[in-house]
Amino acid sequence: MSTSQRTAPGTAGRPDGPGGATGGPGGVGGLVSRLQVDRRLGRMAVLLVVAFSFFAVLDPRVFLSPINLQNIMVASPEIGVLAVAMMLAMLTGGIDLSLVAIANLSAISMSMAFSALAASDPALAEQSAPLLVLLGASVGLLCGAVNGVLVSRVGITPILATLGSMQVFNGLAIVWTGGSVLYGSPAVLTAVGQSTVAGVPVLFLVFLLVAAAVAVVVNRTPVGLKIQLQGANPVAARYSGVDSRSVLTRTYLLTGLLGGIAGVLFLTRNPTASADYGASYVLLVIVIAVLGGTNPNGGFATVAGVVLATLTLQIVASGFTAIRLSSYEYAIAQGVILVAVMVSDTVRWRGRRRGRPPRTDADSATEAAVVT
Amino acid sequence: MSRFRGANNEGVLVLVLVVLVIGMSLANPAFFSVSTLFAVLRSSIVPLVLALGVLIVIISGGIDVSFAAIAVFAAYSTVLLTATDPLGLGIVGAVLCALAIGALLGLVNGVVISRFRLPTLIVTLGTQGIFRGVLLTYVGAAYVANLPGPLAALSTVDIVETTVGGRRVSLTAMVVAPVLLCLLVAWVLRRTMFGRAVYAIGGDPEAARRAGFRVARTQMVVYVVVGMMAAAGGLIFMIMGRSASPQDLVGGELDIIAAVVLGGASIFGGRGSVLGTALGVLLVQVINNSLILAGVPSAWQRTAVGLLLIVGVGVQALAARRSATTVHAHDEEGVPA
């Protein structure tokens, strides 16, 4: 991928570009970016605590009830897994608008397969739960492969490629279901979705497990390092021998797989599937990823930040319900939080650089000199 | 040949449109008729007005996904205002009111984006939620089944009326709006300093700044203009639908962006034309109409537009990649090992 392809003009360069300064996670630049990420993580943890205590104080009877706390944990996983996937796409400097469509397509395939099986042999259909989960994941992987080919082989910008594939996946789901809501999934899945271990819903544990797995991939494997390099500075990455095609293909395969897993979670939480489920998640998931410290221009993100951001927004959502504010007011809150956090990021960086004029290449050169 | 293709592949779009129309007419003679033409034109009005705003912002190198929220906000508030009518708004007053609201909301986007230089997609995603939330919480959430007098009167005005096979076919006067706006936007983009600035900052903001363009101010104006264009589109939509609902138009943002990109505008900025955008919008509408006439269930429309987008941008991407490889080869020849 060439620079011109991923640098969207008008967004005027990323405010914090450690990749531009030194490149690579090692060295002083790496340390600076590390601190930056840690601070965002710290801020997110503070926000989480603040949001929680705010609503806990405001309406402790409703908000602190075990049912409400469990609801927060049951509602988080499906959004959280999608947000982690969005984070991965953003880590390479891309975006995946098709995630929710993929998740729905995966849930629909599972429900369709179950109903088809149940029509001929109900007992067999009930036993097929593991196979159905596998089916859901493979549908996600397949959709991810489509995105991967479009982005890395054909060379379409991720935002357009996934915009198109979102329409296609969503359209196929509409055609397939005829626009109606499907009912039906193995009782085992629903049972798993409702069970808890020591008071913690199994779904939430699955979410933590998935997040941990992605964190390991990003931070501890060569592929993860390449994904970070590719996002931080694609030119530097190419000169360091990173094959951007294979990195991008793998990234979108992974986001597709996570979308498929989110679809499994959809169906596990609630045995229905439809083409237009979670339409508002596309926005929400980007909001969560950015709040969690993901740099939308690529290179920097933490899974822990995204998990914290997911919980924070779920707490705000359930807190709003507890104090009887509408979902529209929640939409306002989402937007305000997103813009406020992004503005505060820029303002802090500007203060550091003592209100410098619009960013120039000369500036980054001096920065590099200062940093090293 | 290259002259026919045009700067943004407009020629190719014309060719695709012509082939499509001929093909459909051969397959189904009912397609080639005045009523189909009017149906396509009618369904293109609102998308085209909205697309013109999106075109400007995309040329400037940004993207705006909040325009549908702005459109509904401005139009719905205007309808409510005109209905109670404390100020005695006529048609002109109503239109100005909608434009003012649109400009104000656009200004919010513009200030945040240009002042803090934030990614436009994320900012407008955020403001989209805010605009929608504010509209539904504080302005109103009820469906208005009957537009207030002056707006309702406007909805019944036709400019062309003919009789085809005993059936009366008419074209709403609203079709004048997108034509005028197309001419206006084309003039602004090609002939004014503001237009040059939009292309310049879309091409390379840093180069534009050094060339003396005021990048932040231009960006701010761009988002205000998009807000006004969205407001106009929203108002036309509600006038044509003869009703107003705060749930209208939402969710259609990406279809409009797809049409603009199909029309040859580059998502990275600096490239795009009004002609291309108009052709892109027409192409999508013709395909939707053809699918219906060809007996394809309307459920396939989404898939068809998605595929069209992927093929459209895919071809461009492959062409760009090929030319990039050629340049690269020259580079390597020039540089001694």
Side-chain angles (χ1 to χ4, degrees):
Chain A
M1 223 195 219
S2 69
T3 18
S4 66
Q5 255 177 315
R6 62 168 288 285
T7 323
T11 56
R14 54 193 114 94
D16 44 346
T22 47
V28 186
L31 192 64
V32 169
S33 73
R34 191 75 242 160
L35 284 175
Q36 171 76 357
V37 166
D38 284 347
R39 196 166 49 229
R40 286 184 170 167
L41 207 58
R43 179 184 62 195
M44 211 52 239
V46 170
L47 267 178
L48 176 71
V49 172
V50 167
F52 190 84
S53 2
F54 178 74
F55 292 112
V57 170
L58 215 57
D59 193 346
R61 209 169 41 81
V62 179
F63 186 75
L64 286 180
S65 66
I67 294 183
N68 187 51
L69 296 181
Q70 275 202 358
N71 275 344
I72 293 177
M73 287 195 279
V74 170
S76 300
E78 51 185 51
I79 295 173
V81 168
L82 291 173
V84 168
M86 185 61 84
M87 178 215 81
L88 269 178
M90 284 187 164
L91 199 51
T92 63
I95 196 165
D96 191 341
L97 298 174
S98 67
L99 281 170
V100 177
I102 293 178
N104 281 328
L105 205 54
S106 144
I108 288 167
S109 325
M110 290 170 66
S111 191
M112 279 283 189
F114 173 78
S115 302
L117 272 177
S120 57
D121 188 347
L124 183 72
E126 284 301 332
Q127 285 168 357
S128 65
L131 277 179
L132 288 181
V133 171
L134 216 58
L135 172 73
S138 353
V139 168
L141 213 53
L142 195 69
C143 295
V146 173
N147 284 334
V149 167
L150 291 178
V151 171
S152 72
R153 306 286 149 167
V154 186
I156 307 179
T157 341
I159 186 172
L160 292 181
T162 55
L163 172 62
S165 67
M166 176 192 80
Q167 309 254 45
V168 172
F169 299 152
N170 187 245
L172 288 177
I174 293 174
V175 172
W176 201 9
T177 61
S180 58
V181 179
L182 304 178
Y183 296 90
S185 90
V188 188
L189 273 189
T190 316
V192 169
Q194 285 165 352
S195 58
T196 56
V197 176
V200 179
V202 173
L203 284 182
F204 191 70
L205 296 175
V206 171
F207 168 41
L208 292 184
L209 210 66
V210 170
V214 174
V216 168
V217 169
V218 171
N219 297 317
R220 297 268 179 272
T221 64
V223 182
L225 181 62
K226 284 180 192 164
I227 291 178
Q228 296 189 35
L229 282 176
Q230 168 72 25
N233 189 336
V235 179
R238 198 177 61 216
Y239 284 116
S240 321
V242 172
D243 178 1
S244 72
R245 283 187 177 199
S246 98
V247 169
L248 289 174
T249 309
R250 285 188 220 179
T251 307
Y252 285 93
L253 273 175
L254 203 51
T255 62
L257 175 64
L258 289 171
I261 292 175
V264 175
L265 292 175
F266 282 8
L267 204 62
T268 312
R269 186 161 88 104
N270 187 357
T272 60
S274 76
D276 49 3
Y277 180 74
S280 61
Y281 284 4
V282 184
L283 157 67
L284 184 58
V285 160
I286 297 177
V287 171
I288 292 174
V290 174
L291 279 185
T294 308
N295 182 339
N297 294 305
F300 302 93
T302 61
V303 176
V306 175
V307 172
L308 288 180
T310 308
L311 284 174
T312 307
L313 278 185
Q314 280 304 321
I315 285 170
V316 173
S318 93
F320 268 46
T321 321
I323 58 172
R324 293 169 192 232
L325 291 177
S326 70
S327 62
Y328 306 132
E329 279 152 312
Y330 175 52
I332 302 178
Q334 265 177 33
V336 170
I337 295 175
L338 177 68
V339 174
V341 166
M342 292 199 12
V343 166
S344 82
D345 268 359
T346 338
V347 170
R348 201 186 48 238
W349 273 91
R350 277 202 173 167
R352 261 180 168 217
R353 291 168 187 175
R354 287 188 211 92
R356 57 194 182 80
R359 185 185 175 80
T360 63
D361 286 342
D363 281 339
S364 5
T366 32
E367 269 158 39
V370 171
V371 168
T372 36
Chain B
M1 182 62 203
S2 66
R3 253 190 79 188
F4 171 73
R5 279 185 58 174
N8 304 310
N9 293 327
E10 288 94 344
V12 177
L13 282 173
V14 172
L15 204 66
V16 173
L17 261 175
V18 169
V19 168
L20 199 64
V21 169
I22 293 177
M24 279 307 299
S25 308
L26 290 179
N28 185 352
F31 180 82
F32 198 79
S33 67
V34 180
S35 56
T36 307
L37 175 72
F38 283 2
V40 169
L41 286 181
R42 190 184 155 81
S43 63
S44 306
I45 294 174
V46 174
L48 186 50
V49 173
L50 295 174
L52 286 173
V54 174
L55 170 73
I56 298 174
V57 75
I58 284 185
I59 293 177
S60 82
I63 195 155
D64 186 344
V65 290
S66 70
F67 67 88
I70 295 182
V72 177
F73 196 120
Y76 185 73
S77 323
T78 304
V79 168
L80 290 191
L81 263 178
T82 323
T84 53
D85 209 7
L87 312 167
L89 296 170
I91 288 183
V92 178
V95 171
L96 288 181
C97 169
L99 291 181
I101 296 173
L104 195 69
L105 298 184
L107 187 65
V108 173
N109 282 334
V111 167
V112 176
I113 288 168
S114 66
R115 175 77 181 77
F116 302 106
R117 299 199 301 276
L118 297 173
T120 55
L121 172 69
I122 317 277
V123 170
T124 53
L125 271 175
T127 54
Q128 176 204 45
I130 299 177
F131 297 158
R132 238 174 97 63
V134 170
L135 173 69
L136 289 158
T137 313
Y138 303 110
V139 180
Y143 174 76
V144 179
N146 289 304
L147 289 190
L151 295 176
L154 207 56
S155 68
T156 51
V157 182
D158 294 327
I159 50 163
V160 185
E161 245 192 74
T162 51
T163 321
V164 181
R167 266 181 43 224
R168 201 181 70 91
V169 193
S170 62
L171 187 59
T172 162
M174 287 295 138
V175 80
V176 177
V179 173
L180 288 180
L181 285 174
C182 276
L183 293 174
L184 179 70
V185 173
W187 177 77
V188 167
L189 284 178
R190 296 181 65 131
R191 300 267 179 250
T192 66
M193 231 21 225
F194 173 70
R196 299 315 315 168
V198 171
Y199 277 101
I201 69 171
D204 184 344
E206 182 50 32
R209 193 183 67 80
R210 292 190 186 182
F213 289 110
R214 291 189 226 180
V215 175
R217 206 181 64 175
T218 308
Q219 246 184 345
M220 194 125 69
V221 177
V222 163
Y223 286 92
V224 171
V225 170
V226 175
M228 292 168 74
M229 207 68 97
L235 197 58
I236 295 172
F237 179 86
M238 288 184 185
I239 290 175
M240 283 172 58
R242 294 176 200 187
S243 64
S245 154
Q247 311 286 357
D248 279 338
L249 285 171
V250 173
E253 300 91 354
L254 298 176
D255 293 339
I256 308 275
I257 295 174
V260 173
V261 172
L262 268 180
S266 162
I267 201 86
F268 304 112
R271 206 157 58 76
S273 72
V274 171
L275 180 62
T277 300
L279 290 171
V281 170
L282 278 178
L283 185 60
V284 170
Q285 298 305 332
V286 167
I287 286 185
N288 284 348
N289 264 283
S290 327
L291 287 178
I292 296 169
L293 277 176
V296 179
S298 62
W300 282 102
Q301 278 183 12
R302 217 158 220 287
T303 315
V305 173
L307 280 178
L308 190 68
L309 178 67
I310 289 176
V311 171
V313 293
V315 168
Q316 288 182 27
L318 285 176
R321 172 161 287 193
R322 205 168 300 130
S323 67
T325 327
T326 336
V327 173
H328 196 68
H330 286 305
D331 277 355
E332 283 183 348
E333 276 168 27
V335 179

